[in-house]
Amino acid sequence: MSVNKVTYGFEQVHIAFKEEGSGSPTWNTPESIPGAVRFTPSPEGDTSTFYADNSPYFVVTSNNGYTAELEMALVPDEILAEMLGWEIDENGMLVEVADGKAKAFALMGQVEGDQKNRRFVYYECVASRPAKEHATKTETLDPATDVLSLTISPIEIDGKKITKGTLELSDENKTVYNGFFEEVYTPDFGEGAGV
């Protein structure tokens, strides 16, 4: 259970591309992308209410993942090419391929807390083309950023549909926490797990 009163800040963005064709989901080694600016996931899903006895009798909610925006100072061309199915030509030009197939990836990062930092992973992300504004230089220098729109879907791991996970450092999880960005951590639903 968290001992933080508040969380703030956003850093240590990593992307791990999903390997295709394997039975259970696996990901490549996470790649660090410096320049984290903002990440804003918005929940997707509906709530259905069944009324009986003149009141809500049964309420069910669906978790359809998230839509999100990921704002970075600059996403490297090699990452964009793999992420969106684009290509880099013989002269190093990033070429937007209109029918390129987007590749799923896990998004990892860290937010700071007043007591402990919190690391997170969203397991099944797909990006669309980034929005980028180019403007003339004025008296002040305002860097242009890359803004990626993401669709984050639930994925099945060990018979459970999951979307994301967050982890704060504790005495019991030091090894997992310290190695969090070395590979995509998948939940351990062993005995004793649960609420």
Side-chain angles (χ1 to χ4, degrees), residues 9-110:
F10 173 48
E11 61 186 357
Q12 295 200 48
V13 168
H14 287 68
I15 287 180
F17 288 103
K18 189 176 172 191
E19 294 181 7
E20 298 296 327
S22 56
S24 58
T26 54
W27 294 265
N28 294 336
T29 302
E31 299 177 59
S32 175
I33 303 178
V37 177
R38 174 179 59 92
F39 178 54
T40 55
S42 299
E44 292 291 323
D46 294 320
T47 300
S48 297
T49 305
F50 172 74
Y51 288 86
D53 295 331
N54 294 323
S55 64
Y57 190 77
F58 178 74
V59 179
V60 64
T61 59
S62 62
N63 180 338
N64 295 332
Y66 297 84
T67 54
E69 281 192 348
L70 174 64
E71 184 176 1
M72 302 293 296
L74 183 67
V75 179
D77 287 352
E78 297 78 19
I79 298 287
L80 278 177
E82 187 168 359
M83 182 183 285
L84 299 170
W86 295 356
E87 294 184 24
I88 297 176
D89 80 353
E90 294 294 324
N91 294 303
M93 182 171 77
L94 177 64
V95 180
E96 181 176 331
V97 178
D99 59 353
K101 185 174 185 260
K103 190 171 186 179
F105 59 91
L107 174 68
M108 306 164 76
Q110 176 173 290

Side-chain angles (χ1 to χ4, degrees), residues 73-74 130-137 142-146:
L74 183 67
K132 186 162 189 138
E133 180 179 333
H134 300 288
T136 190
K137 190 167 64 170
D142 296 321
T145 59
D146 288 342

